[in-house]
Amino acid sequence: MIPPQEASARRREIEDKLKQEEETLSFIRDSLEKSDQLTKNMVSILSSFESRLMKLENSIIPVHKQTENLQRLQENVEKTLSCLDHVISYYHVASDTEKIIREGPTGRLEEYLASMAKIQKAVEYFQDNSPDSPELNKVKLLFERGKESLESEFRSLMTRHSKVVSPVLILDLISGEEELEVQEEVPLEHLPEGVLLDVVRISRWLVEYGRNQDFMNVYYQIRSSQLDRSIKGLREHFRKSTSASGVPYSPAIPNKRKDTPTKKPVKRPGTIRKAQNLLKQYSQHGLDGKKGGSNLIPLEGRDDMLDVETDAYIHCVSAFVKLAQSEYQLLMEVIPEHHQKKTFDSLIQDALDGLMLEGDNIVSAARKAIARHDFSAVLTVFPVLRHLKQTKPEVDQVLQGTAASTKNKLPSLIASMETVGAKALEDFADNIKNDPDKEYNMPKDGTVHELTSNAILFLQQLLDFQETAGAMLASQETSSSATSYNSEFSKRLLSTYICKVLGNLQLNLLSKSKVYEDPALSAIFLHNNYNYILKALEKSELIQLVAVTQKTAERSYREHIDHQIQTYQRSWTKVTEYISEKNLPVFQPGVKLRDKERQMIKERFKGFNDGLEELCKTQKAWAIPDTEQRDKIRQAQKHIVKETYGAFLHRYSSVPFTKNPEKYIKYRVEQVGDMIDRLFDTSA
């Protein structure tokens, strides 16, 4: 049971809460009413705004559409006016550009090309829109006149500014590759930079708009002439400077100061001058100063000319390669790509044909030289052929893309030179074998025959052209070995050839030696020649080449030399047999000699004296050019004779075989030795 006080408090509390809830409920009702009122007001405002917007839209849209139509009409009017202006401008192109076209493009190419562009557009417009209009003919004629002026300007620029490359610059260009030190590349400017830009622009315009390829013919004709003249100028410079000073040179490198010129000797192509000079020298004088004779004598006064011509040709070939490479670089800038190879082919024809013609002349001259057995002149082919084969890879690269006939010119010339070179080698070997045994051609003193010296000198020149000579011989072979083992095969062929020449020479010398009536002089002659051959082989690489196919060649020559020395020594038998011990009278000391014995001793002394004097007188006029061999033969003979004579003199000098001993005992042993020491010495 709740006490009355708590129940009363509880009741008051509940009544207070109820009162609060009623107040809250009253506040919520008021808020809802206000919200409903605000909503009604907002709906009213929006309805009013919507109504106004609809009225505005209904009044604005017609105005907008009308404005849009007006703008479109304005644009159409502007476009129409622009088209009219553009069309009208075509009717004024002829009058606006006629003066510029008439005056030409010189000095104002940019403006001229801009005018030509206007004319081109006018032509296209009238062709498309008014093909019967007289204005079309006007602009067409003006366009053709302008195109002709551009073609004329192209020709004029190329003609006026294409200069021949100076020989000095070409020589610098060629020698620059041969320098071991890295040098700045020699500049080669065919056209000034500004001119080249104009030429290129005209070229491109003519190709793109002019539809004309005639300018390409103009280009190659002008550049071809300059290339040909440059090479010919080098040839003339080479001949003049060589004849004046002996060495062509470049007065100055272009990038050096003009007041400090420097001579630049150009690399010589080979040893042809040495070969010809030596051949001429030995054809006029033997090893001991005696004149000889042979149909191998080179013609005097022509060797230097041959050398100059050969050097000039070799340098012209190198110049062609360098200049052609440079021409192609220039051509690539001026000529369209699909016309470059054909134009370049035409451009180089004159210069290339000139070189091939000169090469053919060298071949023809070599054939004539072979016919008259002038093999020193044939040596011209060797350095030329070697240079052509060395240069062939560069030439092939330069001619890449040209016609087959152009590419085949150099291989054809090389083949001709190999053929004539092989013919020269073959005829030389045959000529060595068949050189006639003419008595008046034989050296009276038994010295080295000119046939021998010329043959050896010719073979020595082959050392400088081993690969070339070997290839010549191999080119005439048809066996599979020639292609399978090219280098080794060529070397063996050259070795075989040298052995053949030496064999032919030996046979001919044996035949020639029979011309001498005195067997001793014949032996001296063969000894001198064999010794000369052996020494020449040993002093050069010929002995190594010979050894490729003939291992015992050196020993064989030594045996031949020793055999001839022995043959010569037998010439003294008729002298020493007088004083040899056999058949000498035997006597007892103190016993008086009989008349027969005294007479025999006198005859022996007299025979020895007469034989010694006769041999010394005769053999003093003979020659052994090799000092070592001469001393060796003298010493050997002196030893034999002195020993025999010394024994004889010792035995009979004290024997009373005569009342006048000085009449028979004319020489002491030392005097005999001195007399033998003066053998083979015309000055003694």
Side-chain angles (χ1 to χ4, degrees), residues 565-578:
I565 291 176
Q566 293 170 10
T567 302
Y568 161 74
Q569 288 175 339
R570 284 198 289 271
S571 67
W572 282 84
T573 303
K574 62 183 179 181
V575 176
T576 56
E577 69 181 0
Y578 283 106

Side-chain angles (χ1 to χ4, degrees), residues 605 609 653 657-667:
F605 269 108
N609 293 335
S653 60
F657 65 92
T658 179
K659 294 180 179 179
N660 300 308
E662 65 278 359
K663 179 181 178 181
Y664 297 98
I665 307 176
K666 296 174 64 175
Y667 302 105

Side-chain angles (χ1 to χ4, degrees), residues 313 353 355-365 367 412-413 416-417:
Y313 182 74
D353 287 343
L355 289 175
M356 295 304 106
L357 179 60
E358 279 197 64
D360 290 337
N361 290 339
I362 291 174
V363 172
S364 299
R367 288 197 180 103
S412 177
L413 177 59
S416 297
M417 287 194 170

Side-chain angles (χ1 to χ4, degrees), residues 386-398:
R386 179 175 65 181
H387 187 72
L388 289 179
K389 296 181 79 170
Q390 290 173 344
T391 312
K392 186 177 181 299
E394 288 185 272
V395 175
D396 290 343
Q397 186 176 7
V398 168

Side-chain angles (χ1 to χ4, degrees), residues 43-56:
V43 169
S44 176
I45 291 171
L46 289 173
S47 297
S48 176
F49 185 70
E50 181 181 7
S51 175
R52 292 179 181 181
L53 281 176
M54 289 180 66
K55 290 179 181 180
L56 180 62

Side-chain angles (χ1 to χ4, degrees), residues 276-540:
Q276 293 168 342
N277 288 345
L278 288 174
L279 282 169
K280 181 168 65 177
Q281 173 187 348
Y282 280 98
S283 68
Q284 295 174 345
H285 301 284
L287 294 180
D288 61 346
K290 300 291 184 180
K291 286 190 176 182
S294 169
N295 59 5
L296 291 176
I297 299 177
L299 301 180
E300 293 185 31
R302 189 198 51 211
D303 296 343
D304 289 341
M305 182 59 66
L306 282 174
D307 196 25
V308 171
E309 293 296 328
T310 301
D311 286 359
Y313 182 74
I314 287 173
H315 282 82
C316 285
V317 170
S318 296
F320 171 79
V321 173
K322 292 299 175 188
L323 293 178
Q325 289 172 341
S326 181
E327 286 291 345
Y328 192 74
Q329 295 298 320
L330 176 65
L331 180 141
M332 286 195 298
E333 297 188 59
V334 179
I335 304 299
E337 184 177 359
H338 54 287
H339 293 285
Q340 289 174 359
K341 296 294 184 182
K342 182 179 178 181
T343 305
F344 182 69
D345 195 346
S346 301
L347 189 155
I348 62 173
Q349 285 302 316
D350 287 348
L352 183 60
D353 287 343
L355 289 175
M356 295 304 106
L357 179 60
E358 279 197 64
D360 290 337
N361 290 339
I362 291 174
V363 172
S364 299
R367 288 197 180 103
K368 293 177 182 178
I370 293 171
R372 62 176 181 267
H373 302 299
D374 181 8
F375 296 100
S376 66
V378 176
L379 289 172
T380 304
V381 174
F382 286 80
V384 172
L385 178 57
R386 179 175 65 181
H387 187 72
L388 289 179
K389 296 181 79 170
Q390 290 173 344
T391 312
K392 186 177 181 299
E394 288 185 272
V395 175
D396 290 343
Q397 186 176 7
V398 168
L399 301 183
Q400 187 178 6
T402 58
S405 58
T406 303
K407 294 178 183 177
N408 291 334
K409 288 181 179 180
L410 181 60
S412 177
L413 177 59
I414 288 175
S416 297
M417 287 194 170
E418 285 187 332
T419 300
V420 76
K423 173 66 174 172
L425 293 175
E426 179 184 351
D427 282 17
F428 180 78
D430 292 341
N431 195 71
I432 292 296
K433 181 178 181 180
N434 301 319
D435 186 66
D437 305 326
K438 297 178 182 178
E439 185 174 351
Y440 64 83
N441 270 350
M442 297 298 291
K444 304 301 182 183
D445 56 5
T447 190
V448 176
H449 197 280
E450 188 184 8
L451 178 70
T452 302
S453 60
N454 281 348
I456 293 299
L457 286 169
F458 187 88
L459 293 180
Q460 285 176 336
Q461 303 321 304
L462 298 185
L463 291 175
D464 295 311
F465 307 101
Q466 290 185 45
E467 293 184 8
T468 304
M472 285 179 178
L473 296 169
S475 68
Q476 306 306 305
E477 296 290 327
T478 57
S479 65
S480 59
S481 301
T483 55
S484 301
Y485 306 98
N486 192 16
S487 179
E488 187 62 28
F489 182 78
S490 298
K491 188 173 184 180
R492 290 188 66 82
L493 278 179
L494 183 57
S495 175
T496 302
Y497 172 77
I498 293 174
C499 291
K500 177 183 178 181
V501 172
L502 293 176
N504 289 350
L505 177 60
Q506 187 173 340
L507 290 174
N508 199 315
L509 290 173
L510 282 171
S511 177
K512 289 182 184 300
S513 68
K514 297 175 182 177
V515 171
Y516 295 110
E517 296 179 358
D518 191 336
L521 181 55
S522 177
I524 290 296
F525 171 77
L526 290 175
H527 164 272
N528 284 333
N529 283 272
Y530 292 155
N531 184 64
Y532 179 88
I533 295 171
L534 178 60
K535 289 295 178 65
L537 293 177
E538 290 176 335
K539 289 180 180 179
S540 66

Side-chain angles (χ1 to χ4, degrees), residues 66-82:
Q66 187 177 5
T67 303
E68 187 178 28
N69 290 334
L70 290 174
Q71 288 177 341
R72 187 179 298 109
L73 289 173
Q74 184 180 1
E75 289 175 0
N76 290 337
V77 170
E78 289 176 353
K79 287 182 180 178
T80 302
L81 291 175
S82 176

